[in-house]
Amino acid sequence: MSWGLANLKHAMRQPGCPLCRLQREAEARYLENLLWENVNDPATREQWAAGLGFCGRHAWQLQRLEARRYGDGLGNAILYEDLLQRVIPVLEAMAQEPARPLSPFEQWLARVLHAPGRPGPRGIAGLHGRARCRVCRLGEETARAYAEWLVEGLTDAEIQERYTASDGLCLPHLRMALARAHDRAPHAFAWLAGDAARRLRLLLKDLQEYIRKHDWNYRHEPMSPEERKAWIRAVAFFAGEVENNGSLDD
Ligand SMILES: [Zn+2]
Ligand SMILES: [Zn+2]
């Protein structure tokens, strides 16, 4: 059995989406290694600079990690010193060259040339990273690799059984696995879709009971543990489990 499939089987025994878990673990490992030995590694620093740091979620994860693990902030301090050295000259250049309104042609050009979400005016581009958050990209690559292992593994009855007993994939990872299966594994494609539909029917029932039992007339009816968590399970399904979700791990 491949190393990937072994990890996947282990994750399927834990609560929550197995791909979310494996993705979170890979992201956390990257951040731990970064603080432990790679803060001064040129390749790592290049990735950090290219993203102008990490996304909000991973930046704060790194901050919390260093505060909790080391009771200190030297690693973060070194990384952000680097970013400040890059951002300050951009702002100083902007300060010396006051903005001038763009002509209609220049506005059109700016719209065409700039990626969506990137503001057009000259100079501001220097305040954006050139690349997406390195940790997000690494996490997605990891999840994609496991999605592939899962799709291949689903030809095996034991993996199917293990998957059925797990909490199943969240929607972002279900999409990923279905996209992998679509052309190469039509059986796994149909099997995954059917399994997800069955799970969501049960979730819908629990959610409807949760809503019904909030009605004054039915308040005395006890809720099952599944019903009590139905609304949180719905968030986890649609959004994926980006944080260590205590309420699902209980
Ligand atoms: Zn997931
Ligand atoms: Zn990120």
Side-chain angles (χ1 to χ4, degrees):
M1 183 177 45
S2 77
W3 167 87
L5 204 53
N7 284 345
L8 194 59
K9 280 171 82 169
H10 181 73
M12 286 194 284
R13 267 190 238 115
Q14 317 287 322
C17 166
L19 261 56
C20 279
R21 179 172 294 273
L22 291 159
Q23 179 168 345
R24 276 201 313 269
E25 284 173 3
E27 291 170 0
R29 249 193 324 274
Y30 179 88
L31 294 176
E32 274 165 30
N33 288 337
L34 173 61
L35 287 180
W36 186 243
E37 53 192 12
N38 289 336
V39 163
N40 289 312
D41 171 58
T44 309
R45 283 288 278 278
E46 174 47 35
Q47 304 264 17
W48 168 256
L52 214 59
F54 297 148
C55 69
R57 180 161 73 84
H58 288 125
W60 285 108
Q61 191 179 348
L62 185 70
Q63 187 277 332
R64 282 195 306 272
L65 179 67
E66 188 165 23
R68 283 189 198 146
R69 180 74 51 89
Y70 301 101
D72 186 52
L74 181 61
N76 272 270
I78 292 169
L79 290 169
Y80 283 102
E81 186 208 15
D82 179 327
L83 294 192
L84 286 173
Q85 306 271 23
R86 292 167 194 273
V87 164
I88 292 168
V90 175
L91 288 167
E92 283 171 348
M94 286 161 77
Q96 280 171 15
E97 188 193 343
R100 144 186 91 73
L102 296 181
S103 70
F105 173 72
E106 284 171 320
Q107 283 178 23
W108 173 82
L109 202 62
R111 266 206 310 280
V112 171
L113 293 181
H114 282 90
R118 296 286 160 92
R122 270 177 311 151
I124 295 182
L127 298 177
H128 279 287
R130 286 177 281 110
R132 278 182 63 218
C133 166
R134 172 68 186 128
V135 193
C136 282
R137 283 186 291 135
L138 174 102
E140 282 164 21
E141 285 160 23
T142 303
R144 255 195 292 279
Y146 280 110
E148 189 125 1
W149 273 310
L150 175 66
V151 165
E152 280 171 25
L154 282 176
T155 48
D156 181 344
E158 192 210 333
I159 302 290
Q160 278 191 12
E161 220 168 279
R162 187 67 66 84
Y163 182 81
T164 307
S166 79
D167 284 339
L169 296 178
C170 67
L171 183 60
H173 289 137
L174 180 64
R175 277 196 299 256
M176 203 179 257
L178 287 172
R180 287 273 148 194
H182 185 264
D183 301 325
R184 278 175 269 173
H187 175 73
F189 182 84
W191 190 89
L192 270 174
D195 172 273
R198 266 191 303 281
R199 284 174 197 276
L200 294 180
R201 283 258 164 238
L202 293 175
L203 176 57
L204 175 64
K205 203 164 123 281
D206 287 340
L207 201 60
Q208 286 171 336
E209 281 298 277
Y210 183 85
I211 295 166
R212 188 181 68 83
K213 289 175 185 175
H214 275 69
D215 187 304
W216 184 260
N217 296 315
Y218 307 109
R219 285 176 69 114
H220 60 280
E221 290 186 32
M223 277 192 207
S224 72
E226 289 74 30
E227 288 166 5
R228 203 177 299 284
K229 280 187 187 171
W231 68 287
I232 299 173
R233 284 156 56 211
V235 177
F237 175 73
F238 281 97
E241 294 150 46
V242 287
E243 300 297 334
N244 277 320
N245 192 328
S247 31
L248 279 170
D249 279 357
D250 288 344

